[in-house]
């Protein structure tokens, strides 16, 4: 009986030893796995340390102000360059960001952080500090390795030089635009003044024959208001008998545009609002407006000139008649004077001849010689009188 119990205990002891050996082997295997895990952990720690060193040197080297906030908006980390701008000290890590009085002129920090952490937006804007130095503020969600949002990352880029150049450029552009606007307004005012004070009626017409521009003289010349003219077609201002020719002339002008007088060699007429007609002269030109060609007509009322020409022709005719009459009167007067001279000279010569004959008988030789000379003179005077009479 005792032997059987001893044998049973021996078997149990042997089974226990086997279990201990198995546990020992498992423990050894576990130790080997722990050794491998520790080695991996040391390697990863070394990699993380190197990565942290690289990140630290990178942030320090680039000298960029960076601030990291956690989900509760507490300060998790910041770079040395961020200390001055955000007014931070090393012991501020863990403090709520709202308790920090930054040097940036940005009053809506809570709104910006909410847009980043709650709405997952990326915020970018230009901000300045209290000294007027400009930065580009960029806020992005801070993501963990598991792609979870765990706060916000705030970075600042120094854009002061670029911003000031941009401001100077904008001011220069604004000044240039203002000057250009002033010059444009002055030019428009000058053109409008020239247009409205022109002594000619000026009308601009599109391809559809619609009047798109009219000056004050056009209103006075045709008797329509400017509003009425701008709602009318150009044929409204042309007598009906001339409209067909005008349509052909306008179509030809738009095909071959050049500055020229309209209807050269023809008598052109305009038509007033009351239906009255008056003679005109028209010069054609064209302008390019909003990718549309406009025909421009410069119209002159030549009624006064036509009246003056008619009056001048009548004066010339009257002068011609008067000249004819004057020549006739002059011829008649010349004939009358010639006849009177002939009669007088004839009577005087006859008396002179009688006196000469008497003197010959009574006077000595010298007197006779003078008498002969006197007779010769009388003959020449008589011949002259006869010639005058024949000419008349």
């Amino acid at each position: 009986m005792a032997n059987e119990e001893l044998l049973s205990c021996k078997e149990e002891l042997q089974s226990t030893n086997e279990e201990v050996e198995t546990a020992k082997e498992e423990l050894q295997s576990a130790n080997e796995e722990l050794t491998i895990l520790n080695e991996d952990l040391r390697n990863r720690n070394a990699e993380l340390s190197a990565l942290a060193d690289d990140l630290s040197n990178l942030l320090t080297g680039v000298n960029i102000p960076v601030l990291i906030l956690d989900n509760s908006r507490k300060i998790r980390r910041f770079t040395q360059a961020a200390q001055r701008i955000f007014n931070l000290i090393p012991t501020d890590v863990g403090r709520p960001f709202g308790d920090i009085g930054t040097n940036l002129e940005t009053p809506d920090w809570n709104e910006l952080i909410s847009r980043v952490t709650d709405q997952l937006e990326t915020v970018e804007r230009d901000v300045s500090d209290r000294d007027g130095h400009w930065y580009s503020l960029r806020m992005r969600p801070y993501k963990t390795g598991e792609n979870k949002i765990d706060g916000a990352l705030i970075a600042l880029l120094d854009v002061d030089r670029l911003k000031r150049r941009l401001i100077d450029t904008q001011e220069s552009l604004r000044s240039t635009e203002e000057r250009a606007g002033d010059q444009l307004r002055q030019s428009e005012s000058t053109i409008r003044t020239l247009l409205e004070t022109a002594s000619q009626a000026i009308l601009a017409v599109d391809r559809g024959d619609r009047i798109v521009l009219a000056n004050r003289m056009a209103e006075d010349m045709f008797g329509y208001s400017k509003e009425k003219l701008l709602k009318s077609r150009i044929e409204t201002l042309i007598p009906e008998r001339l409209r067909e020719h005008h349509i052909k002339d306008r179509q030809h002008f738009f095909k071959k545009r050049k500055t020229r007088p309209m209807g050269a060699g023809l008598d052109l007429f305009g038509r007033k609002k009351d239906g009255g007609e008056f003679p005109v002269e028209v010069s054609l030109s064209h302008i390019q407006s909003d990718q549309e060609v406009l025909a421009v007509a410069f119209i002159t009322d030549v009624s006064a000139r036509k009246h003056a020409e008619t009056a001048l022709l009548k004066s010339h005719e009257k002068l011609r008649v008067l000249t004819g009459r004057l020549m006739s009167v002059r011829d008649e007067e010349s004939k009358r004077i010639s006849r009177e001279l002939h009669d007088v000279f004839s009577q005087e010569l006859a008396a002179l001849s009688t006196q000469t004959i008497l003197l010959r008988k009574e006077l000595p030789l010298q007197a006779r010689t003078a008498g002969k000379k006197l007779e010769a003179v009388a003959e020449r005077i008589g011949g002259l009188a006869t010639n005058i009479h024949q000419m008349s």
Side-chain angles (χ1 to χ4, degrees), residues 215-343:
N215 68 341
R216 186 184 303 277
M217 181 56 70
E219 298 180 77
D220 298 338
M221 185 177 295
F222 292 95
Y224 292 94
S225 65
K226 183 176 293 186
E227 291 75 13
K228 183 64 176 178
L229 285 173
L230 297 180
K231 296 179 182 178
S232 304
R233 303 171 70 87
I234 191 64
E235 272 79 14
T236 306
L237 309 180
I238 301 173
E240 293 184 5
R241 67 180 187 279
L242 302 176
R243 290 179 183 177
E244 183 177 357
H245 182 273
H246 174 267
I247 293 174
K248 294 180 181 179
D249 191 50
R250 175 172 53 81
Q251 293 173 349
H252 177 72
F253 176 79
F254 275 107
K255 290 179 181 178
K256 296 182 179 180
R257 301 184 295 271
K258 64 178 181 178
T259 301
R260 61 178 178 83
M262 180 179 177
L266 298 177
D267 290 331
L268 302 180
F269 292 87
R271 183 178 182 274
K272 294 180 177 290
K273 182 179 180 181
D274 58 8
E277 297 183 8
F278 59 99
V280 296
E281 285 186 352
V282 182
S283 295
L284 293 178
S285 184
H286 68 279
I287 57 175
Q288 189 82 22
S289 173
D290 297 334
Q291 300 180 350
E292 182 182 14
V293 177
L294 300 177
V296 182
F298 299 87
I299 306 170
T300 303
D301 185 349
V302 294
S303 299
R305 193 181 72 189
K306 290 291 184 180
H307 292 321
E309 290 176 353
T310 302
L312 183 60
L313 290 175
K314 291 181 179 179
S315 298
H316 285 169
E317 182 63 23
K318 290 181 179 180
L319 181 60
R320 187 184 65 79
V321 173
L322 290 175
T323 302
R325 292 179 179 177
L326 181 60
M327 292 295 294
S328 177
V329 171
R330 187 183 65 180
D331 292 342
E332 293 177 358
E333 186 67 16
S334 298
K335 291 179 180 180
R336 185 184 64 78
I337 294 173
S338 297
R339 286 195 298 270
E340 291 180 355
L341 287 174
H342 182 270
D343 295 340

Side-chain angles (χ1 to χ4, degrees), residues 98-140:
D99 295 344
I100 305 298
T102 68
N103 293 324
L104 296 175
E105 300 292 339
T106 306
D108 53 350
W109 282 110
N110 290 329
E111 179 185 352
L112 296 179
I113 296 173
S114 296
R115 289 171 57 185
V116 172
T117 58
D118 299 341
Q119 303 176 22
L120 306 183
E121 294 183 11
T122 298
V123 176
E124 295 186 8
R125 65 166 54 184
D126 291 338
V127 296
S128 63
D129 60 16
R130 295 173 183 175
D131 296 329
H133 197 92
W134 286 94
Y135 297 91
S136 175
L137 173 65
R138 301 183 181 183
M139 299 180 64
R140 302 175 183 272

Side-chain angles (χ1 to χ4, degrees), residues 178-219:
E178 290 177 355
R179 289 196 301 271
D182 292 340
Q183 293 176 356
L184 179 60
R185 285 188 292 272
Q186 185 176 1
S187 299
E188 290 177 348
S189 177
T190 301
I191 293 173
R192 189 179 300 109
T193 301
L194 291 174
L195 187 67
E196 295 300 327
T197 58
S199 60
Q200 293 176 302
I202 302 176
L203 298 173
V205 182
D206 62 12
R207 289 181 179 271
D209 205 29
R210 291 180 294 106
I211 300 174
V212 298
L213 182 146
N215 68 341
R216 186 184 303 277
M217 181 56 70
E219 298 180 77

Side-chain angles (χ1 to χ4, degrees), residues 126-128 132-135 159-175:
D126 291 338
V127 296
S128 63
H133 197 92
W134 286 94
Y135 297 91
V159 294
D160 185 71
R161 182 178 299 178
L162 180 63
K163 184 70 174 180
R164 294 189 182 280
R165 287 183 179 177
L166 180 61
I167 293 174
D168 292 341
T169 302
Q170 289 176 343
E171 291 179 352
S172 177
L173 287 175
R174 189 180 301 109
S175 178

